[in-house]
Amino acid sequence: MPFFEYPDYPETHLLELEKMVLCRESQISTLLSVFGEREHFSFPSIFIYGHTATGKTYVIKTLLKIFKLPHVIVNCIECFTSRLLFEGILSQLNSHCSTLEKEFYFREHCDSFNDFVRLYKQVTLDQDLKNQTVYIVVDKAEHLREMDVNLLAGFQRLQELTDCNVTVLFLSEIVWEKFRPSTGSFEPLTLNFPNYNKGELQRILSCDHPPKYSDDFYSSYINILLGVFYIVCRDLKELRHLAALNFPKYCEPVVKGEAKESDTHRLWKNIEPHLKKAMQTVYLREISSLQWERMQQGDKETGQLKGLSAQAHVELPYYSKFLLIAAYLASYNPARTDKRFFLKHHGKIKKTNFLKKHEKTSNHLLGPKPFPLDRLLAILYSIVDRRVAPTANIFSQITSLVTLQLLSLVGHDDQLDGPKYKCTVSLDFIRAVARNVNFDIIKYLYDFL
Amino acid sequence: MDDTRCATSSVSKGCFVFKPSNKKRKTSLTTADYFNAGLKDVEDGSVRFETSQSLWQEMKLETEQLQEELNKKLFDSLIEFLRKSQSEFQREKNEWSCRTKSSEIPAAALVLGVNVTDHDVTLKSLSEILLASVTPYVASLQSKECPGIKQLLQKLLVQLMGQVADVELDSDEEKQVQVSQRRKRCPMASLCGWYHSITKTNLTRSKKRTSSSFQHLLFPPVVVILKDMECFTPKVLQDFITISSLYSQELPLILLFGIATSPMIIHRMLSHSVSSLLCIELFQSVSCTQHLGTVINKLLLTTQFPFRMSGKVLQVLTNIFLYHDFSVQNFIKGLQFSVVEHFYSQALSVLCCHLSEAKKRLKSLSHNQCENIRQLPSFMSYVDLQDSDSQIKLLTSDSFLKDEAKILLEDLHAYHENYIPVLKCLHEFTCCLPKYPLGKQIRELHCACMEKNVWESEEYMSAFELLRMLAKDELMATLQKCVEILNSSSSKQLSNTLKKLEEFLARFECLEGSVSSEEHLKDGNTSPRKALQKRTNLYHLQKTLLELKESRRSKKLNNFEALRLEVVTFLDSLVRDYLVPPETKTLHEILYFSSASTLRRHLNAAPRTALHMALNNPYCYLKNEVLKSDGGVISNLAPDICIAYRLHLECGRLINLYDWLEAFTTVVTATERTDSDSMASRQVDEVIHARFIRAVSELELLGFIKPTKLKTDHVARLTWGGC
Ligand SMILES: Nc1ncnc2c1ncn2[C@@H]1O[C@H](COP(=O)(O)OP(=O)(O)OP(=O)(O)O)[C@@H](O)[C@H]1O
Ligand SMILES: [Mg+2]
């Protein structure tokens, strides 16, 4: 007896759906009731939202496929212009009835929404889709906002505009309110796919157990895995990936004959530290999953592999280092205090003397401030021991630092108008650079006075 | 239209385009012509040009070879990575772990260093190697070509699919292109389709041809090189990766990121959800300083090439490298410039070639060239040292001069043959002394030796002080290395040295046999140098040095110490014999390029200074005697812009235009009306007014001032500092 009871849909299909999709019963039943019978008109647009890997794409795809409903799925990241989007929809519709082997291409031009409506009508007529609901699934719908303005509103009203039996499903990771639809939009039916809780994750993940091992064995592994990772990660895709990556390690004692499958405590002791390590490395993509697998297999070479972030050191030419230091000082010191730091005989200026009220907060908390080129050079000249000639090389070094993303150019790019920069490196980074040239940067920073 | 045919007879005032009927109507000037045209000393111009060209060709070949060798390790590991990733792609798709793991896009993060100018060469040779040995499908993208995802995919498709690319992204100009063949698909999907059709045909073709001349894999990966990762917009990159990941099952895409700074940038640019689509491995190229070291070793510290650089010139080039750009390519460009400049400016550079060839050329030298030899400073001082008889002969007889010059040239070449191995030996000794008194890199030692008599320097003395305390094992290892160096050198004079060193080695070995280790174990620490290395503190260092000195003096030298002293003394004598600076060598001007200032002027230009100089002191460039001024006086004959510039230097951040005009008028009219026609000067002359306006707008164009809204009738200064 299937969970869903809909006289309109064949029971075998319902049972199949139940087997393939877990923990989404209420969403599916809502959708099925909204869809109604094949030839009935449905809601013009449905907006489905939920975090990543909550099964939006998967559920909709499976649903439409199992019931063999005529549908089209387009991804807005891939179809990044409205034309690609239109033509993607139309050509998929066009090849709807034909076999997959033979590829049909849609040959006509479709630039505007107007064209799209016209061609859509034509195609549905051609494909004999007049008397059943066509579902258009627009995945990653949040990207629609960056495309043509009328696109979102148009799709919402597609049913009305084409006068066809069509329903548009938007899938997105963000809530409908954030779409700030333009006037003339038509409120869609919204449906939330909530995050899976631990139990649900356990159920779904346990489903794909490997053929060689028993169900229980795998689900106790998943239990341990969730115990470690559930606090940091609820992404089903990621968890599944991690489960697959680390499973060989879990099986190791069993394969070697050191433990039995039921020896849960032993297996736990074996896998837990390993998973903790995975959390700091593969999970953060500090090392790649391929490297991780090789490490598990006891590859010596990868044994002392360092992660991506471990190699933060950047070797720079001598003056670039000083330019960067100067830029850092200019970014984090108030301009008024330059005299105090860079004039030889500044007298006794105490910090309190030039402390303004609002400056009590650390400049480092506020982030870098833009500074003009002149100030950068003035500071540079006073922190480098020897005379620095203002050669073309010095200036091109500034530009190089910008291309390396160590400095960033602020504001409009009017070359003559005294460009302004910001220093984007961290305190740790600049301290390493300064140490390298024996420059005590802390002494020159207002925040550390 | 008809008019063009009889264009010359046309009376209408039109504009006609003449297409050059004959390709060779105006023979374009060749490089050689340019070289010869500007020559001050035209002697042997064409020979010099050809010599310089062939010499440079040889040097260039050497650098290319060397770069290939340097990159070999990196490239090999990359290719290994590509192979592995590809086999991963072809693995059984229905295996459990493959099904459950998310399929990631393999990506290699290539950390290439901040010397961005060198990346092009590296990446180009990389893609050539990949094309030759891994896959025919390599595309390289540059950030400036890809401001948006659309352009990125367009570039990618064009590069991979060539002319057949059907990139029907909505650009209007492409609308006319073969509408019938248009396929309505997303770019990535069409790439995928293209890949499948290509591999399918390859598959059938390779089945027919059983002979496995097929180099590539059955499913060659599609490699996309993103040359400058830092400069891509994060959004474009993220979109690209997301789209690619949609096809990761069908299209074996592999990404290569060229990274200039540190691999951290990946995490800074890509969100976790995107970076989790990638399987990133890290690869590091050789550091640029190491690269430079090899270049100097192979191009300058060798007798293979006759051309040499003076210490100053080398210093200029290395300074640009170390202080400014870290770019080996620029260093090589500088080297090339030096070669060309040397042959261009030095008439006698015709003799800057291999010795046998030089001797031949010497014989056929013209009288003028002989005179040139006589003018060489090094030759003049050589003449001074001769007795009067040969002085006269040298100065009058060309043939006598040629004979003498031949010997001198031979001597000069022999000097190099000895200099380089001895330098390398000395470097072996000094390269690992604590605090590196003579430098860590051989180029520093080389510069020091070329600068002056190195043995007179303080650093040299302190280095030798340390050498006299070397431990036995280190000493022997270094000696062994020196023997190897000398063995590979061809110099005849050094064969005695080689024998001597071998003898030293043998004696050390003897020492080991007869005196058992107890002898120098008494010293307490076997290696004072090792002890020294631990003490990084300068004070401690000095103290230990003193102590060691004391103890040495007090104790009688044992056998080992005596021998050690002998070795060090021998080394010292070698240095004094062979490492004399080249300037002391007669005729060194022929081989040595020494015009450091020219080089600096060309490679490290100071546009700001030059501009200031031109405007502040126009005489410097115009060479007009009237403009010659000493100090603060502005001549009213100077160009208007110079006068305006000089006046603006005296102002603050904001300049009052009216005051400026007043001052300008005063200066311009200063001598014209000495009788101070005050009534007329009240009323500003219209012409002067116009001249002033022009000068000011020229200054604005040059970026010295800009209009400001802060105050009416004022402009803002964009530079600072006065005169
Ligand atoms: N209820 C479920 N039952 C079985 N598998 C599920 C379920 N929910 C998700 N999955 C699995 O998780 C994977 C990711 O789901 P899906 O791609 O649909 O997420 P999504 O919500 O579309 O995420 P995104 O917003 O990132 O596109 C699917 O491939 C599917 O295998
Ligand atoms: Mg989705």
Side-chain angles (χ1 to χ4, degrees):
Chain A
M1 187 67 194
F3 175 87
F4 313 109
E5 282 184 62
Y6 294 96
D8 322 327
Y9 299 99
E11 195 169 301
T12 49
H13 286 175
L14 288 169
L15 276 170
E16 198 185 338
L17 183 65
E18 200 172 327
K19 223 172 72 203
M20 288 192 59
V21 182
L22 303 162
C23 318
R24 281 286 175 242
E25 288 82 7
S26 77
Q27 283 80 14
I28 289 178
S29 62
T30 314
L31 280 173
L32 287 180
S33 2
V34 174
F35 286 179
E37 284 174 39
R38 280 180 96 90
E39 57 276 7
H40 287 177
F41 269 61
S42 169
F43 220 78
S45 66
I46 304 172
F47 181 81
I48 297 169
Y49 67 99
H51 282 293
T52 179
T54 45
K56 301 179 294 289
T57 315
Y58 176 72
V59 170
I60 299 297
K61 217 180 200 166
T62 324
L63 189 91
L64 293 170
K65 210 146 109 205
I66 285 180
F67 294 117
K68 298 202 173 62
L69 300 172
H71 67 273
V72 170
I73 301 179
V74 282
N75 186 323
C76 289
I77 296 188
E78 198 191 356
C79 304
F80 44 85
T81 64
S82 48
R83 176 157 153 210
L84 284 173
L85 201 59
F86 295 147
E87 290 174 355
I89 293 171
L90 291 171
S91 67
Q92 275 188 54
L93 267 185
N94 213 11
S95 59
H96 175 75
C97 296
S98 52
T99 49
L100 281 173
E101 293 302 307
K102 228 161 119 202
E103 283 185 85
F104 267 82
Y105 299 111
F106 186 77
R107 297 202 183 283
E108 235 170 307
H109 233 315
C110 184
D111 272 323
S112 64
F113 210 93
N114 211 5
D115 285 341
F116 175 66
V117 169
R118 178 174 56 82
L119 288 166
Y120 177 84
K121 281 198 237 175
Q122 190 186 321
V123 169
T124 40
L125 214 63
D126 288 351
Q127 299 287 329
D128 199 21
L129 293 168
K130 263 289 176 211
N131 51 6
Q132 45 187 335
T133 317
V134 174
Y135 296 92
I136 296 178
V137 182
V138 181
D139 205 346
K140 306 279 176 200
E142 60 269 17
H143 288 260
L144 279 182
R145 298 178 301 171
E146 291 143 34
M147 294 189 217
D148 294 350
V149 268
N150 62 353
L151 216 52
L152 185 63
F155 275 122
Q156 282 174 304
R157 291 179 172 272
L158 194 61
Q159 200 175 74
E160 183 186 325
L161 291 169
T162 56
D163 205 12
C164 288
N165 188 356
V166 60
T167 293
V168 182
L169 295 148
F170 298 103
L171 307 187
S172 170
E173 275 179 59
I174 59 177
V175 294
W176 173 246
E177 285 72 28
K178 289 269 174 68
F179 275 69
R180 262 180 263 126
S182 53
T183 47
S185 88
F186 183 87
E187 279 300 302
L189 180 76
T190 56
L191 182 63
N192 182 20
F193 275 44
N195 280 350
Y196 296 116
N197 59 30
K198 202 168 173 179
E200 287 168 334
L201 285 174
Q202 168 88 34
R203 248 186 84 197
I204 299 172
L205 283 171
S206 303
C207 257
D208 40 33
H209 71 92
K212 269 195 267 173
Y213 294 92
S214 73
D215 233 342
D216 287 345
F217 181 65
Y218 192 72
S219 79
S220 67
Y221 166 64
I222 293 297
N223 196 14
I224 298 170
L225 184 90
L226 283 176
V228 175
F229 279 104
Y230 185 70
I231 349 159
V232 291
C233 171
R234 295 172 191 195
D235 183 337
L236 187 60
K237 270 182 289 189
E238 188 70 27
L239 285 169
R240 175 184 276 171
H241 181 65
L242 286 166
L245 270 189
N246 294 302
F247 190 61
K249 179 80 182 174
Y250 183 72
C251 300
E252 206 177 67
V254 180
V255 174
K256 280 187 185 161
E258 289 163 3
K260 277 204 288 282
E261 282 196 19
S262 52
D263 221 346
T264 18
H265 184 68
R266 182 106 187 242
L267 292 172
W268 175 78
K269 263 179 75 179
N270 174 45
I271 193 72
E272 215 235 14
H274 188 72
L275 290 178
K276 287 234 162 100
K277 195 172 164 211
M279 187 153 83
Q280 282 151 22
T281 51
V282 227
Y283 171 62
L284 296 176
R285 293 305 188 275
E286 281 292 304
I287 64 174
S288 76
S289 28
L290 219 61
Q291 285 170 326
W292 181 252
E293 279 186 327
R294 257 180 271 151
M295 238 154 98
Q296 273 180 12
Q297 285 153 16
D299 195 335
K300 295 258 164 17
E301 209 180 305
T302 45
Q304 54 273 42
L305 206 73
K306 275 194 277 176
L308 291 184
S309 307
Q311 282 141 3
H313 179 66
V314 179
E315 195 58 60
L316 288 170
Y318 188 75
Y319 283 141
S320 297
K321 285 180 192 156
F322 275 106
L323 276 169
L324 201 60
I325 292 172
Y328 193 85
L329 294 175
S331 270
Y332 287 99
N333 283 347
R336 288 173 301 109
T337 62
D338 283 355
K339 252 192 197 138
R340 151 79 176 73
F341 289 117
F342 304 114
L343 276 189
K344 282 251 164 59
H345 309 287
H346 56 76
K348 273 213 175 121
I349 310 173
K350 281 200 198 127
K351 183 174 181 173
T352 42
N353 286 3
F354 46 68
L355 194 73
K356 277 187 188 162
K357 225 180 205 160
H358 66 275
E359 272 173 6
K360 283 217 181 92
T361 38
S362 152
N363 287 307
H364 278 85
L365 286 180
L366 296 171
K369 295 204 176 56
F371 55 85
L373 178 65
D374 295 356
R375 193 169 159 227
L376 174 71
L377 290 175
I379 296 179
L380 175 76
Y381 292 144
S382 61
I383 60 173
V384 181
D385 297 336
R386 62 192 97 190
R387 239 190 99 246
V388 192
T391 59
N393 275 329
I394 291 282
F395 291 106
S396 70
Q397 263 167 292
I398 299 175
T399 321
S400 300
L401 288 173
V402 174
T403 39
L404 294 178
Q405 307 271 296
L406 299 173
L407 296 187
S408 72
L409 195 60
V410 190
H412 52 95
D413 37 14
D414 180 2
Q415 293 300 317
L416 293 180
D417 203 12
K420 283 191 169 174
Y421 300 93
K422 254 186 199 181
C423 183
T424 58
V425 302
S426 66
L427 181 61
D428 282 340
F429 186 96
I430 204 71
R431 282 178 76 169
V433 170
R435 209 177 307 125
N436 201 285
V437 287
N438 285 324
F439 181 81
D440 188 5
I441 191 163
I442 296 298
K443 254 177 38 195
Y444 286 88
L445 277 170
Y446 179 72
D447 278 352
F448 298 98
L449 219 56
Chain B
M1 276 305 231
D2 281 349
D3 279 8
T4 45
R5 205 171 281 173
C6 46
T8 40
S9 62
S10 165
V11 280
S12 65
K13 278 189 185 172
C15 197
F16 302 104
V17 179
F18 289 93
K19 279 198 179 151
S21 54
N22 214 340
K23 266 182 209 154
K24 286 263 165 71
R25 210 155 85 185
K26 197 165 69 180
T27 44
S28 59
L29 288 171
T30 60
T31 332
D33 294 329
Y34 282 112
F35 185 88
N36 288 326
L39 233 42
K40 240 190 280 165
D41 233 326
V42 286
E43 277 324 310
D44 298 320
S46 56
V47 184
R48 271 152 69 190
F49 177 72
E50 268 150 35
T51 320
S52 76
Q53 293 295 299
S54 68
L55 175 65
W56 179 247
Q57 277 312 317
E58 268 176 60
M59 291 174 111
K60 204 172 124 197
L61 217 66
E62 185 75 28
T63 56
E64 278 161 9
Q65 222 162 359
L66 155 172
Q67 260 149 9
E68 217 165 88
E69 278 163 32
L70 275 180
N71 284 328
K72 193 169 179 333
K73 221 177 119 213
L74 170 74
F75 289 173
D76 283 351
S77 55
L78 257 175
I79 288 173
E80 178 63 28
F81 167 75
L82 294 185
R83 288 246 158 84
K84 242 183 245 164
S85 312
Q86 191 51 23
S87 61
E88 195 76 7
F89 176 79
Q90 282 170 12
R91 228 161 74 177
E92 271 314 310
K93 283 277 158 40
N94 45 20
E95 211 174 287
W96 174 80
S97 70
C98 282
R99 244 186 315 129
T100 333
K101 257 190 317 190
S102 36
S103 62
E104 296 169 321
I105 305 170
L110 276 172
V111 182
L112 296 167
V114 295
N115 43 333
V116 182
T117 32
D118 295 351
H119 294 183
D120 257 354
V121 181
T122 314
L123 291 176
K124 201 165 146 234
S125 58
L126 172 64
S127 68
E128 270 160 21
I129 285 180
L130 292 184
L131 280 173
S133 63
V134 183
T135 169
Y137 315 121
V138 179
S140 26
L141 301 171
Q142 228 172 340
S143 62
K144 64 169 180 249
E145 302 167 339
C146 312
I149 180 74
K150 185 166 117 184
Q151 289 85 347
L152 188 145
L153 289 173
Q154 203 152 13
K155 272 269 157 352
L156 183 67
L157 261 63
V158 167
Q159 278 191 38
L160 288 174
M161 297 155 63
Q163 290 317 94
V164 293
D166 35 32
V167 232
E168 259 60 59
L169 305 170
D170 38 358
S171 53
D172 288 322
E173 66 267 36
E174 274 172 315
K175 274 185 187 168
Q176 304 98 316
V177 185
Q178 304 156 320
V179 183
S180 59
Q181 281 185 11
R182 174 166 296 190
R183 300 172 165 197
K184 305 290 171 188
R185 282 211 287 181
C186 302
M188 211 58 186
S190 52
L191 186 67
C192 217
W194 165 83
Y195 181 79
H196 279 291
S197 63
I198 284 271
T199 44
K200 213 181 268 171
T201 53
N202 277 352
L203 212 61
T204 49
R205 215 183 293 156
S206 70
K207 262 182 202 152
K208 269 183 223 152
R209 252 189 297 138
T210 36
S211 61
S212 59
S213 61
F214 202 65
Q215 266 196 351
H216 303 303
L217 301 154
L218 219 47
F219 290 97
V222 177
V223 179
V224 179
I225 303 175
L226 301 169
K227 285 184 176 174
D228 42 351
M229 169 119 177
E230 278 94 351
C231 302
F232 276 91
T233 345
K235 185 173 182 314
V236 172
L237 214 53
Q238 300 204 36
D239 282 356
F240 174 58
I241 292 169
T242 321
I243 295 173
S244 312
S245 81
L246 295 175
Y247 293 90
S248 62
Q249 300 283 354
E250 296 134 71
L251 187 71
L253 197 70
I254 299 182
L255 304 178
L256 297 186
F257 299 134
I259 294 175
T261 50
S262 85
M264 283 245 273
I265 193 80
I266 296 176
H267 289 319
R268 257 173 66 179
M269 291 183 76
L270 306 178
S271 65
H272 180 78
S273 62
V274 174
S275 67
S276 65
L277 300 172
L278 298 174
C279 179
I280 309 167
E281 270 186 52
L282 202 60
F283 296 88
Q284 197 107 34
S285 72
V286 275
S287 77
C288 50
T289 36
Q290 201 185 335
H291 193 166
L292 179 77
T294 332
V295 168
I296 289 181
N297 236 342
K298 286 275 166 70
L299 291 185
L300 299 179
L301 295 178
T302 166
T303 47
Q304 196 185 342
F305 306 109
F307 172 79
R308 315 207 67 83
M309 283 177 159
S310 77
K312 287 250 168 49
V313 170
L314 184 57
Q315 203 87 56
V316 169
L317 287 183
T318 44
N319 278 357
I320 292 178
F321 178 86
L322 292 173
Y323 287 141
H324 295 296
D325 58 9
F326 268 177
S327 163
V328 179
Q329 289 313 314
N330 280 356
F331 182 87
I332 292 172
K333 286 265 158 60
L335 190 63
Q336 183 183 11
F337 177 81
S338 312
V339 169
V340 174
E341 180 67 24
H342 178 62
F343 281 90
Y344 181 75
S345 58
Q346 174 60 264
L348 287 168
S349 59
V350 66
L351 297 176
C352 181
C353 51
H354 294 287
L355 187 58
S356 50
E357 178 67 28
K359 280 184 198 163
K360 253 186 253 159
R361 289 186 188 176
L362 188 64
K363 266 190 209 131
S364 54
L365 228 48
S366 66
H367 173 69
N368 267 347
Q369 284 283 47
C370 290
E371 278 307 312
N372 279 335
I373 294 184
R374 291 185 183 113
Q375 309 274 300
L376 291 179
S378 71
F379 189 76
M380 290 208 274
S381 46
Y382 171 76
V383 170
D384 285 344
L385 295 176
Q386 307 301 311
D387 52 56
S388 56
D389 226 21
S390 42
Q391 273 186 357
I392 293 169
K393 269 204 236 160
L394 278 175
L395 295 179
T396 51
S397 157
D398 279 358
S399 64
F400 186 79
L401 175 83
K402 282 179 186 172
D403 289 342
E404 197 69 21
K406 192 178 134 209
I407 298 168
L408 289 171
L409 265 183
E410 276 169 0
D411 196 35
L412 194 58
H413 279 268
Y415 159 73
H416 291 139
E417 261 170 26
N418 300 329
Y419 176 93
I420 290 160
V422 173
L423 183 78
K424 284 182 180 162
C425 288
L426 178 61
H427 178 66
E428 281 304 332
F429 275 99
T430 58
C431 68
C432 34
L433 291 178
K435 300 229 168 244
Y436 311 107
L438 282 174
K440 201 171 168 184
Q441 309 279 343
I442 193 162
R443 60 156 198 272
E444 297 167 68
L445 188 65
H446 180 49
C447 282
C449 290
M450 287 204 287
E451 202 85 353
K452 54 176 187 243
N453 289 340
V454 70
W455 56 89
E456 283 160 10
S457 70
E458 223 163 89
E459 294 84 19
Y460 181 84
M461 308 222 189
S462 61
F464 268 69
E465 198 67 35
L466 291 169
L467 284 180
R468 281 188 208 107
M469 294 183 294
L470 271 188
K472 189 170 160 197
D473 47 346
E474 286 168 306
L475 195 56
M476 280 178 72
T478 318
L479 275 177
Q480 192 61 50
K481 274 185 214 152
C482 292
V483 166
E484 276 159 33
I485 290 169
L486 292 182
N487 255 331
S488 57
S489 94
S490 56
S491 167
K492 274 165 234 120
Q493 274 165 287
L494 288 176
S495 59
N496 282 333
T497 315
L498 179 61
K499 266 191 213 123
K500 186 99 187 177
L501 288 184
E502 275 166 348
E503 190 192 311
F504 278 132
L505 267 177
R507 279 167 68 190
F508 272 120
E509 241 134 75
C510 274
L511 214 62
E512 200 147 284
S514 62
V515 190
S516 58
S517 54
E518 35 105 24
E519 190 57 54
H520 50 262
L521 270 179
K522 261 193 288 176
D523 275 350
N525 47 358
T526 32
S527 164
R529 189 165 122 198
K530 267 181 194 150
L532 283 175
Q533 271 166 345
K534 272 177 222 146
R535 278 168 239 247
T536 41
N537 184 321
L538 199 64
Y539 170 72
H540 275 294
L541 189 78
Q542 276 168 347
K543 218 170 86 180
T544 2
L545 280 178
L546 272 178
E547 273 167 17
L548 284 166
K549 224 184 214 169
E550 287 298 312
S551 68
R552 211 171 333 121
R553 218 172 277 152
S554 59
K555 244 188 293 164
K556 253 184 77 190
L557 298 179
N558 63 26
N559 280 349
F560 164 68
E561 283 166 342
L563 191 53
R564 179 169 63 187
L565 199 62
E566 208 175 317
V567 171
V568 175
T569 321
F570 179 67
L571 182 67
D572 185 49
S573 72
L574 273 185
V575 171
R576 283 165 201 263
D577 282 348
Y578 295 117
L579 296 190
V580 291
E583 267 97 74
T584 59
K585 290 282 159 190
T586 316
L587 296 189
H588 69 88
E589 290 94 338
I590 293 178
L591 305 188
Y592 279 82
F593 175 65
S594 57
S595 175
S597 58
T598 322
L599 196 63
R600 195 177 302 121
R601 222 183 20 252
H602 279 92
L603 299 185
N604 200 5
R608 246 187 185 189
T609 326
L611 207 54
H612 176 77
M613 185 64 110
L615 293 172
N616 198 35
N617 185 9
Y619 172 74
C620 176
Y621 288 98
L622 296 178
K623 300 284 182 227
N624 186 341
E625 289 303 318
V626 242
L627 297 175
K628 218 168 182 174
S629 73
D630 25 39
V633 200
I634 317 169
S635 161
N636 64 333
L637 295 171
D640 291 343
I641 184 172
C642 297
I643 297 171
Y645 178 80
R646 279 290 287 266
L647 291 170
H648 110 290
L649 286 179
E650 289 154 21
C651 301
R653 278 226 80 81
L654 290 178
I655 307 171
N656 185 325
L657 274 174
Y658 189 74
D659 293 348
W660 198 3
L661 173 62
E662 289 274 86
F664 184 79
T665 321
T666 324
V667 172
V668 170
T669 54
T671 41
E672 275 173 19
R673 274 171 261 168
T674 32
D675 46 323
S676 69
D677 193 348
S678 56
M679 285 308 284
S681 69
R682 283 286 113 215
Q683 202 64 43
V684 176
D685 189 348
E686 260 175 34
V687 176
I688 291 179
H689 194 173
R691 280 166 61 186
F692 173 72
I693 289 173
R694 192 174 66 182
V696 168
S697 53
E698 277 169 355
L699 282 179
E700 188 183 340
L701 187 72
L702 288 173
F704 286 101
I705 53 168
K706 66 163 186 182
T708 178
K709 287 191 185 102
L710 291 177
K711 245 173 167 182
T712 46
D713 295 340
H714 279 67
V715 287
R717 254 186 91 175
L718 290 171
T719 53
W720 73 98
C723 23

